[in-house]
Amino acid sequence: MKIEDVYIWDINAKWLGISPFQLMENAGAGVANIIEEKFGKGLKVAIFCGTGNNGGDGFVAARHLSFENDVTVFLVGDEVKIRSEEAKHNWEILKKLDFVKIKVLKDSSQIKALDLKGFDIIVDALLGAGTRGEPREPIRSAVEKINEYSGKAKIVSVDLPSGYPSSVRVNCDFAVTFQWDKEEYEGFERIIAKIGYPKELYHLVGPGDAKFALRKKGEHKGQNGKVLIIGGSENYFGAPYLASKAASYLVDLVYLAMPEESAGRINDPDLILRPVKGKNFSKEHLEEVLALAEKADAVAIGMGIGLSEETKEFVREFVKHCKKPMVIDADALKVIAEDLSVLRDKTFVLTPHAGEFKILFGEKPEGSLEKKAKLVTEKAREINGTILLKGAYDIISDGKTWKYNKTGNRGMTTGGTGDVLAGIIGALLALGNDPFRAASVGAFLNGLAGDMVKEEMGENFTALEVAKKVPLAVKWVMEF
């Protein structure tokens, strides 16, 4: 697991109703318990706290340790800069305690004058994993002061040594890190404290995943994703339109390639229509559409594309030659089921429902969530790609790990919501997300948009209403 996962899990935990206050309480208590287990009680403890959440964990540890130890808290910085509600709350509690000594150190000269002789334990709760580069003053002086006592007192860091990975860092005996070891951490000893995350957080897609997937990159047109949607046939024009409409809320440009006859029914200034000659896609369109794909960052193919022989040949050849990340949906899934070798060395997401999954792999996903997830993971590993199995709970796997999505409702059995999903995933790929994240967050946003429609209209609605709620779903995520 990575440092980024900490932020995602914290947001998703909050979505499950586990408050940041609970997590901070458990983190601080975990630090205190490990210190007492390792070194006993009746200790003289100095706790250096910053004004961020790492400092908040230190405030909680101070309260827990104060029961059977002599505790002094050194706040490095100004108390008005204590950022989060939960850190402020725990600071206010500390100020009411007569048996915890508090010293506020606003500048480096006060820190340099400190004498920490006689302390058995020094706790470093100055900086968390979110800081970059070398620590600035007055934190820098605090790091240097703590290091003066290396070897004389036991030094315990909260989560990681402050200043890591720069060269100006606390030289700790060990760090108490939370819930799991982070793959970026090296060069210092770590002890893990559990803080109350449930197992769901390993697998549940939530607003934390979406927040990271929706980060905008550039300030100029086209820097925030260009997606190409390929679909439609003589019989269908609505499906590719729904995919394009949903994508248009997330990326800067949407190109929609369709046979000219069905393209003539679409009039939407938000989309760049690219009609191809004839009633259906065929091999003669291959070069033209591959050239369009070159201009895009990602492609979604298959919505309403039909299953005429000429179209099947086009789909197979396109997938074989396309170099961009792809979402392969609807009829295109049935086409590639006949020859899965076209997926070799490609970057892609397949979006089957249970019936299409059986056509693709010869097995129907059945049984418990974990049983289905095992099958999806196995097949994703075999084809070396990402699969999103659509259902009451969507299951997503890249062959290494799996997630499931709980957003959505019965109203979404209406035709077209799968097309909306394909468009959202295509847009998320175009924003630079890897296929696993794009598919997971796509499922989450599509279901969230559907839940917002249900709240407004009940369970009878159309897929276009879901597509139009995408910007509100994004707004909700970003404000969560």
Side-chain angles (χ1 to χ4, degrees):
M1 306 290 280
K2 297 190 171 89
I3 294 168
E4 185 178 285
D5 295 312
V6 178
Y7 299 105
I8 291 172
W9 280 37
D10 279 353
I11 295 164
N12 291 352
K14 186 175 159 192
W15 183 54
L16 288 175
I18 302 160
S19 77
F21 289 97
Q22 281 170 280
L23 294 173
M24 185 173 281
E25 184 64 29
N26 293 346
V31 171
N33 290 340
I34 286 167
I35 287 170
E36 291 189 335
E37 274 166 29
K38 282 260 196 202
F39 308 117
K41 291 166 187 165
L43 305 162
K44 201 165 177 223
V45 185
I47 303 185
F48 281 81
C49 297
T51 54
N53 274 349
N54 197 259
D57 296 340
F59 301 153
V60 175
R63 169 162 42 84
H64 282 268
L65 286 166
S66 75
F67 194 66
E68 294 183 86
N69 304 283
D70 178 358
V71 176
T72 305
V73 172
F74 296 99
L75 177 68
V76 180
D78 192 334
E79 67 175 292
V80 298
K81 290 190 175 150
I82 295 175
R83 287 195 287 276
S84 70
E85 284 308 308
E86 46 280 15
K88 274 185 197 138
H89 172 78
N90 283 298
W91 173 248
E92 290 304 323
I93 293 173
L94 274 192
K95 290 202 301 190
K96 295 190 185 92
L97 305 182
D98 297 318
F99 291 96
V100 174
K101 295 182 266 312
I102 294 178
K103 292 185 179 158
V104 178
L105 309 166
K106 287 188 191 172
D107 65 72
S108 41
S109 60
Q110 293 170 287
I111 297 164
K112 290 189 169 101
L114 278 183
D115 180 4
L116 302 177
K117 240 191 343 274
F119 282 105
D120 306 299
I121 312 283
I122 299 172
V123 177
D124 150 37
L126 291 165
L127 297 173
T131 46
R132 298 277 168 271
E134 290 188 1
R136 293 192 291 272
E137 291 294 1
I139 298 283
R140 190 186 181 106
S141 290
V143 169
E144 288 163 356
K145 177 56 70 179
I146 292 169
N147 286 344
E148 280 175 33
Y149 291 84
S150 179
K152 298 172 193 151
K154 292 292 179 194
I155 298 172
V156 178
S157 287
V158 174
D159 195 27
L160 81 173
S162 293
Y164 177 88
S166 82
S167 56
V168 181
R169 67 169 93 162
V170 168
N171 179 14
C172 64
D173 289 275
F174 62 85
V176 177
T177 193
F178 304 120
Q179 203 72 27
W180 68 80
D181 204 1
K182 322 299 183 287
E183 62 188 54
E184 295 96 333
Y185 289 179
E186 56 183 20
F188 60 96
E189 194 192 322
R190 297 167 302 277
I191 296 174
I192 294 164
K194 298 236 168 50
I195 60 170
Y197 287 135
K199 186 178 180 176
E200 269 73 4
L201 291 178
Y202 271 113
H203 298 298
L204 186 64
V205 191
D209 304 84
K211 243 189 172 89
F212 273 81
L214 290 163
R215 285 176 300 189
K216 292 272 188 191
K217 293 187 176 60
E219 304 294 319
H220 303 286
K221 190 166 86 176
Q223 288 184 332
N224 292 306
K226 300 186 282 270
V227 70
L228 168 64
I229 308 284
I230 305 164
S233 57
E234 58 185 323
N235 300 321
Y236 299 107
F237 72 96
Y241 175 68
L242 287 166
S244 305
K245 193 70 195 161
S248 72
Y249 293 113
L250 296 172
V251 292
D252 288 349
L253 297 170
V254 179
Y255 300 101
L256 172 52
M258 287 175 79
E260 58 189 353
E261 204 171 295
S262 48
R265 296 157 136 188
I266 286 171
N267 175 20
D268 188 327
D270 294 323
L271 312 177
I272 301 166
L273 266 175
R274 290 287 181 260
V276 301
K277 284 193 167 41
K279 292 182 174 182
N280 294 301
F281 281 100
S282 67
K283 209 171 166 191
E284 69 191 52
H285 302 126
L286 188 62
E287 281 190 29
E288 185 185 343
V289 183
L290 280 168
L292 273 178
E294 276 304 304
K295 288 190 201 168
D297 301 305
V299 176
I301 183 168
M303 298 69 64
I305 208 164
L307 290 167
S308 68
E309 282 311 314
E310 55 182 356
T311 301
K312 285 163 119 176
E313 199 181 351
F314 164 80
V315 170
R316 273 194 294 273
E317 289 300 310
F318 179 86
V319 171
K320 204 189 284 183
H321 292 99
C322 180
K323 296 184 176 76
K324 299 295 164 93
M326 287 175 277
V327 187
I328 301 170
D329 185 45
D331 290 336
L333 291 170
K334 297 189 180 86
V335 176
I336 62 154
E338 294 170 25
D339 180 12
L340 287 172
S341 73
V342 298
L343 297 172
R344 199 172 293 132
D345 301 324
K346 299 290 161 194
T347 303
F348 62 89
V349 177
L350 305 185
T351 54
H353 53 58
E356 290 164 335
F357 190 95
K358 187 166 190 225
I359 294 168
L360 281 161
F361 304 112
E363 281 180 73
K364 197 162 186 191
E366 285 171 321
S368 67
L369 174 69
E370 289 189 74
K371 198 172 167 205
K372 284 185 199 159
K374 193 168 175 244
L375 179 63
V376 175
T377 306
E378 195 180 292
K379 296 304 173 190
R381 193 182 308 121
E382 278 173 24
I383 59 168
N384 195 24
T386 296
I387 300 170
L388 190 170
L389 173 66
K390 296 184 284 205
Y393 281 3
D394 307 302
I395 298 169
I396 309 100
S397 179
D398 59 356
K400 296 187 277 287
T401 180
W402 63 273
K403 283 188 177 276
Y404 71 106
N405 171 55
K406 282 165 82 159
T407 60
N409 57 76
R410 281 183 313 197
M412 295 182 76
T413 54
T414 184
T417 56
D419 305 313
V420 171
L421 172 63
I424 294 172
I425 298 170
L428 289 164
L429 284 172
L431 287 172
N433 292 291
D434 66 68
F436 183 60
R437 177 166 282 169
S440 306
V441 171
F444 177 81
L445 285 175
N446 187 49
L448 181 62
D451 289 342
M452 288 175 160
V453 179
K454 182 190 166 188
E455 211 167 285
E456 207 174 282
M457 306 176 68
E459 280 187 346
N460 298 310
F461 50 82
T462 66
L464 187 57
E465 263 119 17
V466 178
K468 286 178 175 171
K469 279 281 188 276
V470 168
L472 286 175
V474 170
K475 180 174 185 272
W476 180 88
V477 163
M478 297 322 266
E479 288 173 357
F480 187 81

